Amino acid sequence: MGAIVSVRVDMVVDTKDVRDALASVVAPAFALWPQQRNLQTGSSALKLAPSFHITTTIHNAPEDLHDAVLRTLEFLKMDKLGRLVVGRGSGDATVVSRARTLSSLTLSLSEGSEINSIATEVRKALEDRDEAYTLHVPADGSDATMTANTTLGLFRGLATFSQMWYTNDEDTYTINAPFSIQDSPVYPYRGLLLDTARNFFPVSDIKRMLDVMSWVKMSVLHWHVVDSQSFPLEIPGFINISRLGAYSPSSIYSTLDVEDIVHYAGARGIDVLMELDNPGHTTIIHKAFPEHVACPEATPWATYASEPPAGQLRFALPGTANFVADFLAAAARMSPSKYFSTGGDELNTACYDQDAPTQKQLNATGKTFSEALSDFITTTHGALVAQGKTPVVSEPLLNETLVKVWISSENVAAVVRKGFKVIHAASDYFYLDCGAGEWIGADPDANSWCDPFKSWQKSYSFDPTANLTDTEAALIQGGEHSLWGEQSGPENVDSITWPRAASSAELFWSGPGGNGSTALPRLHDVAYRMRTRGVKAIRVQPEWCALRPGKCDLTS
Amino acid sequence: MGAIVSVRVDMVVDTKDVRDALASVVAPAFALWPQQRNLQTGSSALKLAPSFHITTTIHNAPEDLHDAVLRTLEFLKMDKLGRLVVGRGSGDATVVSRARTLSSLTLSLSEGSEINSIATEVRKALEDRDEAYTLHVPADGSDATMTANTTLGLFRGLATFSQMWYTNDEDTYTINAPFSIQDSPVYPYRGLLLDTARNFFPVSDIKRMLDVMSWVKMSVLHWHVVDSQSFPLEIPGFINISRLGAYSPSSIYSTLDVEDIVHYAGARGIDVLMELDNPGHTTIIHKAFPEHVACPEATPWATYASEPPAGQLRFALPGTANFVADFLAAAARMSPSKYFSTGGDELNTACYDQDAPTQKQLNATGKTFSEALSDFITTTHGALVAQGKTPVVSEPLLNETLVKVWISSENVAAVVRKGFKVIHAASDYFYLDCGAGEWIGADPDANSWCDPFKSWQKSYSFDPTANLTDTEAALIQGGEHSLWGEQSGPENVDSITWPRAASSAELFWSGPGGNGSTALPRLHDVAYRMRTRGVKAIRVQPEWCALRPGKCDLTS
């Protein structure tokens, strides 16, 4: 770290203090999101050399790292983001014209590190992922350096590096050099759930989401691929389900599409957690396999399902359990992740009460509903475990699983107390679709079931370990924002998600306790940068406020 | 109307009954929005000839009508909307292959009609606009005919005609021929307010909004051009206001831009009602003319303004009144509309209480705040009247004005009882920005001031003449949806507005009392059609529901 010895260092502080110190004077000057664990910055201007380049000292560096470097260079050239102050940084011209020039950034792995692709590293078990990196950007014109134990760490560092720079007419520059950063996430699971079943999203939209996720260091795409309404996933050996259950032949993710998405994600430090929710949320399978679905499209649907259409897998039938085990195993083989989600939520008992085959089976075996369900889970999860997967569920079922807690943040304590590892996905903090009106029927006074809208401020205020002991807190793996697709599609996926979901990206990387007021200028910056990169992230305030940090706070 | 004598006519009913009759069986088959006043449809298939063309019998037809015909032909060719049923109309192939072919549509003006451009017709006084048309599309292959008293009426009819057709692999067709339509709006003012001051919208976005508005027969763009945060309007003689008050040099509507927008709107049957809100909502003018603005950027802003930044025109000073009269007159000369809006809402008295020039003037003249304001309105409205404009305001001030009632639908009766003509814009029904979180500060539990979200069902349920006598009801001119821009920009303007704002387009064209459940299939259709035309209208339900009208209603 010799490079920064000779320059003035304004701040040497930890994450929480950094954020509090980022009052309106300093915050707009740099826009790192999520906030670094340990960040030292200065107040010198520094500009990129026209020949600026990024090199690695890694012998046979993996291709996805090489590609990430190229993308970073492209962002540095194309972002052209004016600094978010009145005049958009035009006042920086004089100091920047006299600034030192940065010629290169060198990426290295720590000695003895294994050289894997970014994809390989992010597909390890959550507890084995190493995303830490150190980054030094001297102010004196000497080369910048980045070090990590993994290519994944280097990839996270590149995301940081690409957020440091503004552009004026002449130069790409910072006014906060030197930078000295040691960074690593508080939680390994920083996710976004995307539902492609209620409405279909073309592959290009999913890729764009993956890009944005990678810019804010998210690590998991929780892909809710199929549901009762449509089954857009082509599973080898089961293609009739998608052939008859997708909205159209062009609304199907082929095996090649899945490979493409998974590959694209991996190269961007994102694990794809596929979710084939069952035994509920499966109506549409009846089009291809009527024998496995109870109460298909039964009416009134509200009696038999939480949303239309009604219909659920006949889990009590051994034939159905084996069928599900087989198609889950086949789907699992499409995914390189260590994890695979089976959902398991919102099972409706009335549907089975009137289903003759189910009742006959329960009577014949003398099993209760719960016992039969437990058998089904054992069989289907067994098939996933045989494929090397850890099942992820939305309700605590068997204890080999990782549990996503979604109904309410108040359910978390009960789940960890049973010893389950937990992913936070509380609807009262992290559901992006809430507060956009009721989509069922024409009642003018109906609101969405999870009203009101969950603002970025709300999710940012979440405390992942509230009311937990240290032992319990250790079970928390992170959390995710969710975009359920009843009223979403390619048309609003950007604007409903960004920059709002960046709030949980920071929460689960930097830890809780961030100050929303000091975060806001950085959130503006990350949103403006998203827009320069072609993503339709919304304005979170009038531009007048974005250019004048703090001036629109209620108290100012 | 001989052409339809020989075919079976299924329905001959008025608007309200048509809508009720459009139960799930019939509704998806045609998707006319807004609903016609008098609509007869049949059940014959009819397809467009490859050589289908539209002719007019009008000697020297105006250019904007000619262009509208070309656009209609382009939509017929490019929409390629599959019918919204399972299979997307693939089941129609057999009947369509045997169908008669429609070769042409002929447009005529009634005998003795004056031949004006569409733009000229829609810029008449509200009470003088004639948008009625009749349209006959025979099922027997004989030519379709459309008649109106004005080109504006023909233009409305073309919007109807372009909504009649679906496309399968082979043909562009309907299965509901013949059509016989007599149509005209219940209210002349069917508007959309767009705020381009909190965040800037490029001209191309405004034009896209105008396109969509025209497809659902909206008649007024209420353009809230400027506000306290920015002044993106170049006014001849006052260009320093925009030069110093716009967000950037590229965030200014030049005089040519305004001409372009107004022309584009007029050709699409839309009058542009420019709004330069004053004397409140004017802070940014202080950058160019500090002498005219009280309490500029005073803090805490919440004491001096309803949103940041504080600052209002010193209306009590005769010099300021004359200045405002002059720039309003100059702006009014940019607009061919008969109307010009001066807003006039949310005036903050605390700002003036501490403003020495205002207090000095009030003391010198012995006038009260209200008296001085009345003088200001007399002067500034006088300048507009001198330009031939009728002032439109957001608060009842003087009785030559048209009043937009926005705070709440409950304020309407009081306003009409004073004899004012009224435009409905109630925030509790028609504000598109409500329910998207609070943009001021970081309070995690704050919601938008007008929570919850106003769903299409809510605005569709509005009754424009509730609690009014017939005399009072006659003062209602129509209404509008409003998109305030604190959290909007080009990124979400489509998705926050469409298809939601289509609900008021139908409400104010077809009249109140529509049934939301039977409207929903048509709303899907109009939204799908918007998407085929490149507009990011959101999904209002899962596609499963869109393809199965009624099946997702709570009661089905």
Side-chain angles (χ1 to χ4, degrees):
Chain A
M1 292 170 55
I4 64 159
V5 170
S6 62
V7 300
R8 186 166 67 89
V9 171
D10 292 310
M11 299 188 291
V12 185
V13 277
D14 259 346
T15 303
K16 176 69 168 61
D17 298 323
V18 167
R19 280 193 305 233
D20 290 348
L22 288 179
S24 57
V25 180
V26 178
F30 55 92
L32 308 181
W33 190 288
Q35 192 61 70
Q36 282 60 33
R37 189 175 281 238
N38 193 307
L39 171 67
Q40 304 172 16
T41 66
S43 56
S44 296
L46 178 69
K47 58 189 171 189
L48 294 182
S51 63
F52 176 80
H53 57 283
I54 301 177
T55 58
T56 84
T57 63
I58 307 164
H59 185 65
N60 282 336
E63 191 180 342
D64 59 8
L65 181 63
H66 180 72
D67 291 345
V69 165
L70 293 181
R71 285 199 307 279
T72 304
L73 291 170
E74 186 75 2
F75 289 142
L76 294 174
K77 194 169 142 190
M78 302 301 293
D79 275 359
K80 298 200 186 307
L81 178 62
R83 199 154 68 84
L84 290 185
V85 289
V86 176
R88 299 303 297 272
S90 55
D92 300 338
T94 309
V95 64
V96 170
S97 70
R98 291 195 295 259
R100 298 292 182 91
T101 297
L102 181 68
S103 295
S104 82
L105 165 67
T106 302
L107 313 183
S108 307
L109 288 179
S110 338
E111 243 187 82
S113 299
E114 209 178 322
I115 302 175
N116 290 316
S117 68
I118 300 167
T120 300
E121 294 291 344
V122 81
R123 291 177 192 146
K124 289 181 174 174
L126 285 165
E127 58 274 21
D128 296 333
R129 295 180 194 175
D130 184 343
E131 303 180 82
Y133 67 95
T134 61
L135 170 60
H136 299 289
V137 181
D140 63 359
S142 57
D143 289 349
T145 56
M146 191 193 296
T147 312
N149 295 322
T150 66
T151 54
L152 179 59
L154 293 175
F155 180 74
R156 300 298 181 219
L158 285 172
T160 300
F161 187 81
S162 81
Q163 290 176 338
M164 291 176 167
W165 309 93
Y166 298 106
T167 302
N168 61 18
D169 288 342
E170 302 286 327
D171 294 300
T172 297
Y173 69 96
T174 173
I175 56 169
N176 291 97
F179 290 89
S180 183
I181 290 169
Q182 291 175 303
D183 199 13
S184 61
V186 174
Y187 296 104
Y189 189 109
R190 304 174 306 278
L192 182 70
L193 180 142
L194 184 65
D195 160 18
T196 58
R198 274 59 177 246
N199 285 297
F200 181 77
F201 292 80
V203 172
S204 59
D205 290 297
I206 297 177
K207 286 184 170 178
R208 193 177 62 259
M209 291 296 271
L210 290 166
D211 279 322
V212 193
M213 290 169 67
S214 75
W215 303 336
V216 292
K217 301 188 173 72
M218 283 177 148
S219 61
V220 181
L221 174 67
H222 188 169
W223 187 9
H224 184 85
V225 194
V226 301
D227 209 294
S228 278
Q229 291 85 357
S230 82
F231 200 102
L233 182 68
E234 179 187 276
I235 303 177
F238 297 84
I239 61 168
N240 265 356
I241 309 182
S242 50
R243 194 175 67 80
L244 298 171
Y247 285 134
S248 76
S250 63
S251 301
I252 295 175
Y253 304 106
S254 69
T255 52
L256 281 177
D257 288 336
V258 174
E259 202 176 303
D260 187 18
I261 288 168
V262 164
H263 176 81
Y264 195 91
R268 282 154 184 79
I270 296 168
D271 189 28
V272 177
L273 167 59
M274 284 181 75
E275 175 162 296
L276 268 61
D277 201 351
N278 74 84
H281 292 274
T282 46
T283 313
I284 204 73
I285 293 173
H286 88 95
K287 297 280 185 189
F289 294 95
E291 65 272 31
H292 294 311
V293 177
C295 75
E297 303 190 21
T299 57
W301 63 259
T303 304
Y304 301 109
S306 54
E307 65 180 51
Q312 309 177 134
L313 289 163
R314 288 175 166 141
F315 67 82
L317 307 193
T320 297
N322 290 333
F323 164 76
V324 175
D326 288 349
F327 88 67
L328 287 180
R333 285 191 287 271
M334 301 170 77
S335 163
S337 176
K338 276 226 158 335
Y339 301 90
F340 195 97
S341 176
T342 58
D345 55 317
E346 299 187 311
L347 212 54
N348 178 296
T349 51
C351 170
Y352 296 116
D353 288 345
Q354 57 91 65
D355 184 56
T358 296
Q359 292 308 317
K360 188 176 162 199
Q361 179 68 20
L362 291 178
N363 286 336
T365 58
K367 289 193 173 160
T368 64
F369 185 91
S370 294
E371 289 165 349
L373 182 58
S374 182
D375 288 352
F376 172 82
I377 301 293
T378 302
T379 300
T380 54
H381 280 197
L384 289 171
V385 171
Q387 295 296 327
K389 308 292 183 195
T390 297
V392 179
V393 294
S394 304
E395 300 281 347
L397 298 159
L398 295 179
N399 57 13
E400 82 278 19
T401 54
L402 179 59
V403 179
K404 181 188 89 162
V405 178
W406 66 276
I407 294 179
S408 161
S409 48
E410 289 167 20
N411 301 114
V412 170
V415 176
V416 296
R417 257 151 230 166
K418 290 179 187 162
F420 290 105
K421 290 183 177 177
V422 161
I423 302 161
H424 286 292
S427 63
D428 47 345
Y429 283 84
F430 300 116
Y431 270 27
L432 294 164
D433 55 315
C434 296
E438 174 56 89
W439 57 271
I440 295 163
D443 180 357
D445 296 315
N447 292 320
S448 78
W449 71 269
C450 53
D451 237 33
F453 180 89
K454 310 308 172 205
S455 65
W456 74 266
Q457 298 97 323
K458 178 75 176 177
S459 41
Y460 196 71
S461 75
F462 187 74
D463 181 357
T465 58
N467 307 318
L468 301 184
T469 65
D470 286 355
T471 313
E472 290 163 353
L475 293 169
I476 303 298
Q477 304 297 301
E480 66 187 12
H481 263 95
S482 298
L483 179 53
W484 296 104
E486 285 85 353
Q487 298 189 85
S488 294
E491 298 76 22
N492 62 349
V493 63
D494 284 17
S495 60
I496 206 169
T497 307
W498 307 113
R500 200 159 34 129
S503 62
S504 70
E506 174 152 305
L507 170 68
F508 293 115
W509 177 283
S510 312
N515 176 319
S517 293
T518 56
L520 177 53
R522 289 185 300 107
L523 187 67
H524 274 304
D525 218 305
V526 79
Y528 272 75
R529 200 175 291 274
M530 287 174 185
R531 290 194 284 271
T532 69
R533 297 179 185 178
V535 174
K536 294 186 177 299
I538 70 159
R539 321 292 172 122
V540 294
Q541 285 189 320
E543 183 153 316
W544 193 91
C545 307
L547 302 183
R548 295 166 180 83
K551 291 276 191 187
C552 292
D553 286 2
L554 191 51
T555 51
S556 83
Chain B
M1 289 171 60
I4 64 162
V5 170
S6 62
V7 300
R8 185 167 67 90
V9 170
D10 292 311
M11 300 190 290
V12 183
V13 277
D14 260 344
T15 304
K16 176 66 171 62
D17 298 322
V18 168
R19 280 196 304 237
D20 290 347
L22 288 178
S24 57
V25 180
V26 178
F30 53 95
L32 307 182
W33 191 287
Q35 191 62 71
Q36 281 60 33
R37 189 176 282 238
N38 193 306
L39 171 67
Q40 303 173 17
T41 68
S43 56
S44 297
L46 178 69
K47 57 190 172 188
L48 294 183
S51 64
F52 175 81
H53 56 285
I54 301 177
T55 57
T56 84
T57 62
I58 306 166
H59 185 63
N60 283 333
E63 192 180 340
D64 59 8
L65 181 64
H66 180 73
D67 290 347
V69 165
L70 293 181
R71 286 199 306 279
T72 303
L73 291 170
E74 185 75 5
F75 289 142
L76 293 173
K77 194 168 144 190
M78 301 302 292
D79 275 0
K80 296 197 185 307
L81 178 62
R83 200 155 66 85
L84 290 186
V85 290
V86 176
R88 300 304 297 274
S90 56
D92 301 336
T94 308
V95 63
V96 170
S97 70
R98 290 195 295 259
R100 298 293 180 93
T101 297
L102 181 67
S103 296
S104 82
L105 165 66
T106 302
L107 313 184
S108 308
L109 288 180
S110 338
E111 242 187 83
S113 298
E114 208 178 325
I115 302 174
N116 290 315
S117 68
I118 299 168
T120 299
E121 294 292 344
V122 81
R123 291 177 193 146
K124 290 182 173 174
L126 287 165
E127 58 273 22
D128 295 333
R129 295 180 193 173
D130 184 342
E131 304 180 83
Y133 67 95
T134 61
L135 170 60
H136 299 288
V137 181
D140 64 359
S142 56
D143 291 348
T145 55
M146 191 193 298
T147 311
N149 295 320
T150 65
T151 53
L152 179 60
L154 293 176
F155 180 73
R156 299 299 180 221
L158 286 171
T160 299
F161 187 81
S162 81
Q163 289 175 340
M164 291 177 166
W165 309 93
Y166 298 106
T167 303
N168 64 15
D169 288 343
E170 302 288 328
D171 294 301
T172 297
Y173 69 96
T174 174
I175 56 169
N176 291 98
F179 290 89
S180 183
I181 291 170
Q182 290 175 300
D183 199 14
S184 60
V186 174
Y187 297 103
Y189 190 110
R190 306 175 304 278
L192 182 70
L193 180 143
L194 185 65
D195 160 18
T196 58
R198 274 57 178 246
N199 286 298
F200 182 77
F201 292 80
V203 172
S204 59
D205 291 296
I206 297 177
K207 286 183 170 178
R208 193 177 61 258
M209 292 296 271
L210 290 165
D211 280 322
V212 191
M213 290 169 67
S214 75
W215 303 336
V216 293
K217 301 188 174 71
M218 283 178 148
S219 60
V220 181
L221 173 67
H222 188 169
W223 187 9
H224 183 86
V225 195
V226 302
D227 209 294
S228 277
Q229 292 84 0
S230 80
F231 200 101
L233 181 67
E234 179 186 276
I235 302 176
F238 298 84
I239 60 170
N240 265 357
I241 309 182
S242 50
R243 195 174 65 80
L244 298 171
Y247 285 135
S248 76
S250 64
S251 302
I252 295 175
Y253 304 106
S254 68
T255 51
L256 282 176
D257 288 336
V258 173
E259 203 175 304
D260 187 18
I261 288 167
V262 165
H263 175 81
Y264 195 91
R268 282 155 185 79
I270 295 167
D271 187 28
V272 177
L273 167 58
M274 285 181 73
E275 174 163 297
L276 268 62
D277 201 352
N278 73 84
H281 292 274
T282 46
T283 314
I284 205 74
I285 293 175
H286 87 94
K287 296 280 184 189
F289 293 95
E291 66 272 30
H292 293 312
V293 178
C295 75
E297 302 191 23
T299 57
W301 63 259
T303 304
Y304 302 109
S306 54
E307 67 179 48
Q312 309 177 135
L313 289 163
R314 286 175 167 141
F315 66 83
L317 308 193
T320 297
N322 290 333
F323 164 76
V324 175
D326 288 349
F327 87 69
L328 287 179
R333 284 191 289 271
M334 301 170 77
S335 163
S337 177
K338 274 224 156 342
Y339 302 89
F340 196 95
S341 175
T342 57
D345 57 314
E346 299 187 311
L347 211 53
N348 179 295
T349 52
C351 169
Y352 295 116
D353 288 345
Q354 58 92 65
D355 183 56
T358 296
Q359 291 308 316
K360 190 176 158 197
Q361 179 68 20
L362 292 177
N363 287 335
T365 58
K367 288 192 171 159
T368 64
F369 185 90
S370 293
E371 288 165 349
L373 182 58
S374 182
D375 288 352
F376 173 82
I377 301 294
T378 301
T379 301
T380 54
H381 280 198
L384 289 170
V385 172
Q387 295 296 327
K389 307 295 182 193
T390 297
V392 179
V393 295
S394 303
E395 301 282 348
L397 298 160
L398 295 181
N399 55 13
E400 82 278 18
T401 54
L402 180 59
V403 179
K404 181 187 91 165
V405 177
W406 65 276
I407 294 179
S408 163
S409 49
E410 291 168 18
N411 302 114
V412 170
V415 176
V416 295
R417 259 152 227 166
K418 290 179 188 164
F420 290 105
K421 290 184 177 177
V422 160
I423 302 161
H424 285 294
S427 64
D428 47 343
Y429 284 83
F430 300 116
Y431 270 27
L432 294 163
D433 56 314
C434 297
E438 173 57 86
W439 57 272
I440 294 163
D443 179 358
D445 295 315
N447 292 321
S448 79
W449 72 269
C450 52
D451 239 35
F453 180 89
K454 310 308 169 206
S455 66
W456 74 266
Q457 298 96 322
K458 178 77 176 174
S459 41
Y460 196 71
S461 75
F462 186 75
D463 180 356
T465 58
N467 306 317
L468 302 184
T469 65
D470 286 354
T471 314
E472 291 163 352
L475 294 169
I476 302 297
Q477 304 297 302
E480 67 186 13
H481 262 95
S482 299
L483 179 53
W484 296 104
E486 285 85 353
Q487 298 189 87
S488 294
E491 299 75 23
N492 62 348
V493 64
D494 283 17
S495 60
I496 206 169
T497 307
W498 305 114
R500 199 161 31 132
S503 60
S504 70
E506 176 153 303
L507 171 67
F508 293 115
W509 178 281
S510 313
N515 177 319
S517 294
T518 55
L520 178 54
R522 290 185 300 109
L523 187 66
H524 275 304
D525 218 302
V526 79
Y528 271 75
R529 200 174 291 272
M530 287 175 186
R531 290 193 284 273
T532 68
R533 297 179 184 179
V535 174
K536 294 185 177 299
I538 71 159
R539 323 291 175 122
V540 295
Q541 284 190 322
E543 183 153 317
W544 193 91
C545 308
L547 301 183
R548 295 166 180 84
K551 292 275 191 187
C552 291
D553 286 2
L554 189 52
T555 50
S556 85

